[in-house]
Amino acid sequence: MGDALRNRIQQTRFESAAQEALLNLLVAADHLRACTEQLCSEFGISASQYNVLRILRGVHPAGHPRCEIARRMIERAPDVTRLIDRLEKRGLVERGRSERDGRLSISRITAAGLELLEQTGPRFELMQREFAERVPAADCRELSRICEAIYDGAGS
């Protein structure tokens, strides 16, 4: 393997190829998470809030109950209700009652939420293009296959 991980964590030997791969994956995920958080913070939201907005944009103009939003999130958030509360305070999300079950609260993205996603779009597209420049399409497909092998059916 390359020297990037060895230099990053100042470790010259690994117990196994699996350990080195796992550490590389964790460092890469942390790097991407930090880049995403930095980009989102420039727009006054967290990466988790951005994820909620994208989920709700995907079903606009309908919405989702909190449990469905939680199920679809990229990173599990312990308190989706609080995430939605913050988005609602900023006018990016609104809540209403389900027509079928009045006890069920449905969150929907607002025009302001859609506009915020429009504003962030070019920056996220740039991030994706830079990723694609560093990782060729065939490697992206292989990386996706490997990642799915790691988490699919792992019980989480």
Side-chain angles (χ1 to χ4, degrees), residues 91-128:
L92 303 173
V93 165
E94 62 187 8
R95 288 190 180 127
R97 293 286 165 200
S98 168
E99 292 177 12
R100 285 188 282 149
D101 182 351
R103 298 168 297 172
L104 193 60
S105 175
I106 303 295
S107 297
R108 293 176 182 84
I109 192 167
T110 64
L114 291 169
E115 175 59 29
L116 181 68
L117 289 179
E118 280 293 314
Q119 292 171 9
T120 63
R123 297 288 304 284
F124 275 101
E125 289 167 13
L126 176 61
M127 182 189 230
Q128 185 174 323

Side-chain angles (χ1 to χ4, degrees), residues 50-64 68-69 72 93 107-110 113-114 117:
Y50 174 76
N51 189 199
V52 170
L53 290 173
R54 287 197 33 111
I55 290 166
L56 293 176
R57 180 177 64 182
V59 294
H60 179 70
H64 278 311
E68 184 62 19
I69 293 169
R72 292 171 181 247
V93 165
S107 297
R108 293 176 182 84
I109 192 167
T110 64
L114 291 169
L117 289 179

